[in-house]
């Protein structure tokens, strides 16, 4: 094995073979600060779902973010220990934890890696969908009902509407009790907005329904998102060092203003205490009215915790680059620890300030919920005018770029390492001359073109988020349990940083709390079958792994994967010192998910 303190140009050389593994290797070109800046794309994830979580958690939304962030920070210490054990691997916590399950089932290890990948990868499509919305709004804005051009259009055409006009009759039927004059004005305004909206905003090449999944929309949002994906791909094609430099520049430009915007309303007294006290869940999702702490209320809160985890736990991506660290023995812990502290600041500050200033009504506005109005909302927090609003919209696009860059860098390395370890197809282990896993990046891109088409409207956006998070919670459950399995089965492996045993035990308990979130929370987002859709997608790894392991590798794992565990025989995966405990943990986790899914029900 390569010495874990190696500072050479390459990582992953196979001992005895004297040459890199087929397809090339990653370059050791990064220290913990570089990984910190790559992971700096995680704090902007709070803006992806801040409106959605406010809709299902009501006044408790900011507290949900805080509790979820604390959980994520505690859990990261288990991941930090495992990352230090594997100084020659990349791909993140899912890869390091998957090796713990290898002795107990060949299927669990690739499941963990697959679930982590399909949880992280959709950041590309979701981020590009929101960024595309910002760009289209800036270049081809939809006029407001109160804008001068709409007012002029209504004045010029309102004489053509009467109480007998069909659209007026339809409006009255949909809004009983509406006076004809009011209905005429409303219909005329709606028609004016439609007439004055640029044609590109309505353009759609075609829509493709997918039974049981949703509808693929190949529209202006999709086309703009594709261009953004290709730009990000081009940046990362130059390797991790180039990516880290780009991330550092964007992070400083984005995070400093975002921090100040979150802090100013607290310092100048703009927080309305009524918005952040009397914490109760809403009476129903997106109702905007207070409910009660009954089963329905708790279901909504657990649903909010379920989606918040997708963002707040995400800084674990800081240890995706262990094989690219110059000194993995010391850099792994520093990278994830300081990334966690950075996220702690933003996931505490931004939701509290948003809710404290905007209240439930402001948090539930359409632009905040779908993400395209967050820039304007940020300007409102500091009473910014049109110029400040435009600057913050640009910063929002850059913040989304940060998150997307982080996701592509981490998820592609998960695919790369999964291939090197014998879990995913061989072609994914290729890297280019800059040490970038380009085939894994192209695979990410192709997958996200499909997701981008699905997420090109707000309904599909949250569906993608809800399904992908099924994989993320499964990954977290498996990897938090992997911590204690490694302690029992692999005591011989060096641990440059060792988590306190008590904290390891606490994190094992949090694994089952996450299982509770999964069972109760997946259905909160308007898709009763989101849990089952996510589980079906997770199972797709089975034929992929079967082909790689039994067809390509004839039932053996690559030698380097075994050497990472201190083993040499491809057919002997080592002693199972933990006995039946890992199987009992799996059964208990499944029981928690099924019970929570049955017991917790939405209000009404």
């Amino acid at each position: 094995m390569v010495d874990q303190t190696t500072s050479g140009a390459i990582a992953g050389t196979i001992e005895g073979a004297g040459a890199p593994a087929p397809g090339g290797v990653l370059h050791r070109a990064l220290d913990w600060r570089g990984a910190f800046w790559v992971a700096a794309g995680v704090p902007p994830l709070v803006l992806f779902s801040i409106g959605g979580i406010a809709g299902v958690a009501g006044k408790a939304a900011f507290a949900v973010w805080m509790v979820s962030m604390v959980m994520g920070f505690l859990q990261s210490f288990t991941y930090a220990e495992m990352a230090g054990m594997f100084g020659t691997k990349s791909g993140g916590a899912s890869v390091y934890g998957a090796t713990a399950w290898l002795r107990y089932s060949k299927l669990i290890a690739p499941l963990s890696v697959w679930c982590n990948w399909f949880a992280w990868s959709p950041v590309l499509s979701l981020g590009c969908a929101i960024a595309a919305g910002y760009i289209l709004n800036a270049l081809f804005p939809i006029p407001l009902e109160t804008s001068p051009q709409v007012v002029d259009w209504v004045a010029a055409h309102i004489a053509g509407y009467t109480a007998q006009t069909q659209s007026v009759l339809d409006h009255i039927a949909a809004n009983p009790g509406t006076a004809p004059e009011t209905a005429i004005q409303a219909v005329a305004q709606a028609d004016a907005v439609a007439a004055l909206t640029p044609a590109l905003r309505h353009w759609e090449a075609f829509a493709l329904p997918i039974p049981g999944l949703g509808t693929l929309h190949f529209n202006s949002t999709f086309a703009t998102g594709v261009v953004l994906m290709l730009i990000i791909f081009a940046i990362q094609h130059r390797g991790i060092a180039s990516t880290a430099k780009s991330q550092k520049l964007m992070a400083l430009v984005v995070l400093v203003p975002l921090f100040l915007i979150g802090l100013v309303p607290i310092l100048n007294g703009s927080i309305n205490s009524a918005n952040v006290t009397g914490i109760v869940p809403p009476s129903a999702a997106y109702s905007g009215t207070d409910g009660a702490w009954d089963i329905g209320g708790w279901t909504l809160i657990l649903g909010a915790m379920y989606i918040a985890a997708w963002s707040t736990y995400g800084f674990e991506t800081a240890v995706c680059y262990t094989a690219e660290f110059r000194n993995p023995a010391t850099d792994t812990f520093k990278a994830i620890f300081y990334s966690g502290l950075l996220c702690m600041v933003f996931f505490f500050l931004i939701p509290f300030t948003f809710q404290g200033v905007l209240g439930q009504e402001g948090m539930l506005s359409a632009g905040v919920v779908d993400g395209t109005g967050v820039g304007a909302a940020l300007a409102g927090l500091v009473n910014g005018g049109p110029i400040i609003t435009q600057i913050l919209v640009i910063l929002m696009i850059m913040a989304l770029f940060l998150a997307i860059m982080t996701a592509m860098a981490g998820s592609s390395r998960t695919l790369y390492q999964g291939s090197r370890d014998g879990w995913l197809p061989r072609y994914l282990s290729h890297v280019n001359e800059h040490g970038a896993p380009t085939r894994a990046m192209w695979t990410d891109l192709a997958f996200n073109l499909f997701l981008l088409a699905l997420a090109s409207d707000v309904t599909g956006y949250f569906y993608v988020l809800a399904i992908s998070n099924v994989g993320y919670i499964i990954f977290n459950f498996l990897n938090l349990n992997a911590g204690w399995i490694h302690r029992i089965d692999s005591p011989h492996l060096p641990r440059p940083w060792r988590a306190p045993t008590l904290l390891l035990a606490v994190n094992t308990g949090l694994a089952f709390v996450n299982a509770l979130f999964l069972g109760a929370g997946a259905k909160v987002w308007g898709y009763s079958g989101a849990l089952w859709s996510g589980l079906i997608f997770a199972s797709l790894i089975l034929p992929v792994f079967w082909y790689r392991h039994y067809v390509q590798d004839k039932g053996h794992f690559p030698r380097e994967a075994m050497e990472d565990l201190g083993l040499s025989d491809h057919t002997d995966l080592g002693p199972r010192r933990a006995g039946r405990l890992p199987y009992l943990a799996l059964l208990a986790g499944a029981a928690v998910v099924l019970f929570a899914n049955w017991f917790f029900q939405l209000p009404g």
Side-chain angles (χ1 to χ4, degrees):
M1 290 174 58
V2 175
D3 190 304
Q4 291 201 3
T5 60
T6 296
S7 60
I10 62 173
T13 301
I14 304 177
E15 184 182 11
V25 292
L26 302 174
H27 294 186
R28 286 202 183 277
L30 207 62
D31 62 10
W32 73 265
R33 296 175 185 84
F36 171 86
W37 290 118
V38 176
V42 174
L45 291 179
V46 68
L47 305 175
F48 275 47
S49 50
I50 192 169
I53 287 180
V56 300
K59 285 187 175 180
F62 78 95
V64 164
W65 284 108
M66 292 179 178
V67 172
S68 184
M69 185 64 237
V70 170
M71 287 182 61
F73 191 66
L74 292 176
Q75 292 166 180
S76 71
F77 289 95
T78 295
Y79 300 155
E81 175 178 315
M82 292 192 296
M85 295 166 61
F86 301 100
T88 61
K89 287 186 182 293
S90 69
S94 64
V95 171
Y96 318 137
T99 57
W101 289 97
L102 199 57
R103 293 180 174 93
Y104 298 91
S105 173
K106 288 185 177 182
L107 298 179
I108 298 298
L111 176 67
S112 176
V113 174
W114 177 262
C115 284
N116 178 250
W117 170 72
F118 88 75
W120 257 108
S121 186
V123 176
L124 278 69
S125 55
L126 299 181
C128 285
I130 297 176
Y134 273 108
I135 292 170
L136 291 172
N137 283 341
L139 299 178
F140 308 98
I142 298 174
L144 299 174
E145 290 184 351
T146 56
S147 63
Q149 61 265 42
V150 170
V151 172
D152 292 342
W153 191 97
V154 170
H157 295 83
I158 197 167
Y161 295 87
T162 70
Q164 301 306 313
T165 300
Q166 186 59 50
S167 55
V168 174
L169 294 173
D170 292 341
H171 183 87
I172 294 174
N175 302 273
T178 302
E181 295 79 9
T182 303
I184 289 172
Q185 184 68 26
V187 169
Q189 284 180 333
D191 288 349
V193 170
L196 296 172
T197 295
L200 185 65
R201 300 302 298 273
H202 296 301
W203 175 82
E204 182 170 81
F206 63 96
L208 181 64
I210 305 294
L213 184 62
T215 301
L216 306 183
H217 295 274
F218 297 90
N219 53 20
S220 54
T221 299
F222 175 82
T224 308
V226 170
V227 173
L228 297 178
M229 281 189 192
L230 293 174
I231 292 172
I232 291 166
F233 184 97
I235 294 173
Q236 299 212 1
H237 191 271
R238 299 291 300 175
I240 192 64
S242 175
T243 299
K245 290 177 183 177
S246 301
Q247 286 284 93
K248 180 179 180 179
L249 177 61
M250 285 194 291
L252 291 174
V253 172
V254 169
L255 296 183
V256 172
L258 186 60
F259 172 74
L260 294 176
I261 290 170
L263 193 60
V264 166
I266 297 176
L267 297 179
N268 68 16
S270 297
I271 302 295
N272 184 346
S273 60
N275 292 336
V276 290
T277 55
I279 297 176
V280 291
S283 58
Y286 299 95
S287 68
T289 58
D290 291 346
W293 289 102
D294 52 16
I295 291 178
W298 274 109
T299 302
L300 293 174
I301 295 299
L302 293 175
M305 292 292 295
Y306 167 74
I307 287 294
W310 185 79
S311 301
T312 56
Y313 299 177
F315 67 94
E316 46 84 14
T317 191
V319 293
C320 271
Y321 317 100
T322 307
E324 293 163 279
F325 284 146
R326 297 190 186 98
N327 189 354
T330 58
D331 286 340
T332 48
F333 175 75
K334 290 180 180 178
I336 196 169
F337 178 75
Y338 289 111
S339 296
L341 291 181
L342 177 71
C343 289
M344 187 84 75
V345 170
F346 282 90
F347 284 108
F348 272 49
L349 181 64
I350 300 303
F352 177 81
T353 301
F354 254 75
Q355 185 172 326
V357 174
L358 299 179
Q360 288 197 68
E361 183 178 352
M363 296 291 285
L364 296 181
S365 64
V368 174
V369 171
D370 67 19
T372 59
V374 172
L378 287 170
L381 298 184
V382 292
N383 298 315
I387 295 177
I388 297 297
T389 299
Q390 290 304 314
I391 291 173
L392 290 176
V393 166
I394 294 172
L395 289 180
M396 272 298 302
I397 295 173
M398 293 183 67
L400 292 166
F401 262 67
L402 264 178
I404 297 164
M405 292 267 286
T406 297
M408 178 175 279
S411 60
S412 62
R413 281 156 178 80
T414 300
L415 291 178
Y416 164 84
Q417 192 64 51
S419 175
R420 289 182 67 94
D421 284 345
W423 301 328
L424 298 175
R426 285 181 180 174
Y427 84 93
L428 294 168
S429 63
H430 173 82
V431 300
N432 69 3
E433 67 275 14
H434 304 293
T438 46
R439 289 183 183 173
M441 290 162 60
W442 278 116
T443 301
D444 251 353
L445 190 69
F447 176 63
N448 275 277
L449 290 178
F450 173 82
L451 292 184
L452 180 62
L454 186 62
S456 289
D457 65 13
V458 68
T459 303
Y461 174 91
F462 279 108
Y463 189 45
V464 169
L465 191 56
I467 291 178
S468 69
N469 203 43
V470 173
Y472 198 54
I473 299 298
I474 292 173
F475 143 71
N476 275 282
F477 176 84
L478 293 174
N479 276 264
L480 291 173
N481 280 288
W484 61 264
I485 296 175
H486 269 313
R487 284 279 184 95
I488 296 173
D489 282 341
S490 301
H492 59 289
L493 294 181
R495 289 166 169 79
W497 187 86
R498 188 181 182 92
T501 301
L502 178 60
L503 184 54
L504 201 69
V506 169
N507 288 340
T508 301
L510 292 181
F512 293 91
V513 176
N514 282 311
L516 181 72
F517 297 160
L518 175 59
K523 61 187 173 184
V524 168
W525 297 88
Y527 312 100
S528 58
L531 172 62
W532 312 113
S533 296
L535 293 175
I536 290 171
F537 196 91
S539 69
L540 295 181
I541 186 57
L542 300 180
V544 174
F545 172 71
W546 178 86
Y547 175 78
R548 169 63 196 270
H549 187 65
Y550 293 104
V551 176
Q552 288 190 320
D553 293 346
K554 311 305 180 185
H556 297 281
F557 287 103
R559 187 176 68 177
E560 64 175 297
M562 295 296 95
E563 290 176 341
D564 284 338
L565 291 171
L567 305 173
S568 58
D569 187 349
H570 293 200
T571 61
D572 181 9
L573 299 179
R576 299 178 178 178
R577 296 187 180 95
R580 297 179 180 178
L581 291 178
Y583 301 113
L584 292 176
L586 290 176
L587 290 174
V592 170
V593 171
L594 294 175
F595 171 78
N597 189 257
W598 166 78
F599 180 79
F600 289 98
Q601 301 295 327
L602 291 168

